[in-house]
Amino acid sequence: MPLTRDDCTALDAADALAPLREQFELPDRVVYLDGNSLGALPRATAARVQRALRDEWGRGLIRSWNDAHWIDLPQRVGDKIARLVGAAPGELVVADSTSVNLYKVLSAALDLQRQRSPARRVVLSERSNFPTDLYIAQSLARDKGCELRLVEFDQLAGALDEQVAVLMLTHVNYRTGQLHDMAALTRHAHERGALTVWDLAHSAGAVPVDLNAAGADFAVGCGYKYLNGGPGAPAFVWVHRQHVPHFQQPLSGWMGHASPFQFSPEYRAADGIARYLCGTPPVLSMVALECGVDTLLAAEPLGGMAALRAKSLALTRLFRELVDQRCAGHGLHWVSPHNDALRGSQACLTRDGGSDGGAYAIVQALIERGVIGDYRAGESGSPDILRFGFTPLYLCHVDVWDAVEQLHAVLDGDIWRDPRFSRRAAVT
C-alpha cells in the first residue's frame, strides 16, 4: 500500500531521537533540507555567544584568555569532535578553514613522501571532488613540482600506482552523496606506498567515521555543516599520531609554537597536533561551534552516531520511496546510490533536459514554498542536480512527506516555469 502522512507521523512517534529536534531554532512552516551546506541554529548558541560577548569579553577583557579558558578552545572543542570521527583525545584541533587545513596536511604529506620516496610526485583525487580541494592541490602541485591526477570514482583503486604520493578524497561526494569506503581505500593506498588525506566536510556528524580504525593518515573537516557551528565556523584538522613528530606544517604561526608566549624569534614546533595551529583562535566562532558539536554529543546516550546514521538512512530511503511514488513521470533520475552502504546523508536527483531541465528553477520554487534544498550546476555536460540534505538531529519523517508533496506540486503544476524562478545564479 502507498505510504501516507499518517504512516510518517507514526514513525516519528516511535523515533527515540525525536526529542533532539528541540535543541534547534527551526522556522515555522519550513522544511530544512540544506543542513549539508549550513546546519541549523542550536537554541543554546545565542545565549552562549552573548555570554562570551557581554561577560567574558565585556567584563573579563584580556583576562578571559585564562579565566574563561579561551586559550584551550582549539583543543577542547577538538576533543569533542574527535568523539564523532574516531580520534583519540589530544589528536584533533579546531583551527582556520577547511581549505587552509587541507593546505597544511597535504603539504606535510607531500614532504613526508619526498623524504621516503622521492619518485612519488602525484596527488591522486576524484574528478568530481569539491573544487576548493582541487584548487589547493593544484597550488601545491605547482609549488612542489608535483602532478594532480584526476580520475572517476570507480577508477581510484586502479590508479594507485608507484607514482602516487597521496590519495586525497572527500569522504562523501558533495554532488552525489556517494560514500567512499575509507578503510578499504586507505588500506589499498598503503599497500601501494601512498598516504591518504580525507576531507570529512560531508561526513563528520552525518555518518560514522573511525579515523584510527581505518588507519587514515590525515583528515580535515568543516564546522558549519552537520556540526551546526554557524556560517563560516572554524574547521578542524587531524593527523595520525605516527606522523606528527616527523615534520612541521608549512604555516608556522605563533599558536603552533612550542612556547608561544615566550615570543622567541625562532620557530619551534609544538608537540603533537598543537603544531597544526597557526594564528589566534576566533573565540566567538569557536564557542558557537562548541554549541553545535554538543547537539551531536547529546545523541550519545541514545546510540550516538550509529543511531543517527540509522535514522539518516531511514529518512533518505523514505524520500526516495515517496519521490518514486508521488513524482513519477516527471523525468527525475536518482544520482545518489541506492545502496545504503554507499550513500551519505543526502539525496540527489537530476531531471531530463540537462541544464534545461529546470533544476535551478525547481529548487527556487520549492524554497518559496518552504522547502529549502539546493542546486548544483552540471559539470562537463552532465545534468544539473537537485540536492537535498537529511540531518537526523532535527528532521522528522513528516518533514520528508511534506517536502515530497511540495516537490510534486511544483512539478505537477509546472510552477517551476514561473519567470521568477528562471534566473540562474551562483549558489554557494
Side-chain angles (χ1 to χ4, degrees):
M1 295 291 292
L3 289 167
T4 67
R5 197 174 193 275
D6 287 342
D7 294 329
C8 295
T9 300
L11 290 170
D12 288 330
D15 178 17
L17 298 177
L20 298 176
R21 181 183 175 99
E22 296 305 312
Q23 296 182 104
F24 295 90
E25 296 280 357
L26 296 168
D28 293 336
R29 296 182 296 279
V30 168
V31 178
Y32 190 58
L33 303 182
D34 210 4
N36 52 329
S37 282
L38 175 65
L41 171 66
R43 293 185 187 275
T45 301
R48 176 65 187 95
V49 173
Q50 279 296 315
R51 189 168 83 248
L53 283 167
R54 183 184 58 249
D55 299 335
E56 296 171 10
W57 180 14
R59 297 186 178 90
L61 297 169
I62 200 169
R63 294 171 295 181
S64 288
W65 282 106
N66 294 315
D67 295 348
H69 307 289
W70 287 354
I71 198 67
D72 301 325
L73 277 166
Q75 290 83 4
R76 185 173 77 234
V77 183
D79 282 350
K80 290 185 175 185
I81 296 173
R83 289 155 62 180
L84 303 173
V85 297
E91 288 186 346
L92 184 152
V93 288
V94 174
D96 303 311
S97 68
T98 310
S99 298
V100 171
N101 287 333
L102 180 62
Y103 183 89
K104 297 174 190 175
V105 299
L106 184 55
S107 176
L110 287 169
D111 287 348
L112 184 58
Q113 286 288 60
R114 180 175 293 176
Q115 298 170 19
R116 295 176 172 179
S117 306
R120 291 183 177 271
R121 312 295 294 165
V122 170
V123 177
L124 178 66
S125 192
E126 188 176 3
R127 193 177 307 282
S128 63
N129 200 352
F130 191 67
T132 195
D133 291 29
L134 300 182
Y135 303 158
I136 294 294
Q138 288 167 12
S139 173
L140 276 167
R142 181 185 63 244
D143 293 345
K144 292 180 177 290
C146 297
E147 173 193 348
L148 173 62
R149 184 177 299 168
L150 303 179
V151 299
E152 303 301 332
F153 178 92
D154 57 359
Q155 298 173 331
L156 286 164
L160 281 163
D161 59 25
E162 68 282 355
Q163 296 179 320
V164 175
V166 179
L167 174 64
M168 179 192 75
L169 293 172
T170 299
H171 189 210
V172 176
N173 186 284
Y174 82 105
R175 287 177 56 81
T176 67
Q178 189 155 21
L179 174 68
H180 286 292
D181 186 332
M182 180 186 292
L185 276 170
T186 297
R187 183 172 60 253
H188 194 62
H190 288 171
E191 288 171 352
R192 283 153 179 77
L195 296 173
T196 59
V197 171
W198 291 96
D199 183 341
L200 306 181
H202 287 271
S203 46
V207 301
V209 177
D210 196 333
L211 291 168
N212 277 312
D217 297 297
F218 303 86
V220 299
C222 76
Y224 52 81
K225 299 181 188 293
Y226 294 103
L227 299 186
N228 306 309
F236 63 87
V237 56
W238 172 88
V239 179
H240 194 285
R241 66 179 73 90
Q242 69 172 318
H243 299 313
V244 173
H246 298 299
F247 52 85
Q248 64 187 50
Q249 56 104 348
L251 302 179
S252 48
W254 77 305
M255 279 294 166
H257 194 281
S259 301
F261 294 100
Q262 286 185 358
F263 301 107
S264 167
E266 300 297 328
Y267 185 79
R268 181 165 50 91
D271 292 332
I273 194 64
R275 68 179 55 193
Y276 278 83
L277 296 174
C278 185
T280 305
V283 170
L284 299 181
S285 297
M286 283 202 179
V287 299
L289 174 59
E290 186 169 24
C291 292
V293 175
D294 285 344
T295 64
L296 285 149
L297 298 182
E300 286 185 336
L302 302 172
M305 284 306 307
L308 290 170
R309 173 64 168 164
K311 182 176 177 181
S312 164
L313 290 173
L315 293 173
T316 51
R317 285 195 302 267
L318 175 63
F319 183 74
R320 179 184 178 85
E321 185 174 352
L322 290 173
V323 168
D324 289 346
Q325 175 182 308
R326 298 288 291 137
C327 302
H330 288 287
L332 296 176
H333 304 281
W334 291 99
V335 176
S336 299
H338 303 348
N339 187 335
D340 286 356
L342 299 178
R343 187 175 66 253
S345 199
Q346 65 191 59
C348 305
L349 304 104
T350 61
R351 189 165 185 270
D352 288 342
S355 60
D356 297 322
Y360 175 78
I362 290 167
V363 169
Q364 295 308 306
L366 283 171
I367 291 171
E368 184 171 270
R369 297 169 75 88
V371 177
I372 301 177
D374 69 10
Y375 151 90
R376 287 294 180 264
E379 297 178 343
S380 303
S382 63
D384 294 348
I385 289 178
L386 297 91
R387 193 177 73 151
F388 303 97
F390 293 83
T391 305
L393 278 170
Y394 50 77
L395 286 176
C396 57
H397 298 81
V398 166
D399 287 332
V400 179
W401 173 274
D402 292 342
V404 176
E405 283 299 288
Q406 293 300 330
L407 177 60
H408 168 74
V410 167
L411 293 170
D412 203 46
D414 275 353
I415 298 168
W416 64 276
R417 296 185 185 276
D418 189 307
R420 291 175 299 155
F421 307 131
S422 64
R423 182 179 62 85
R424 293 174 66 96
V427 179
T428 58

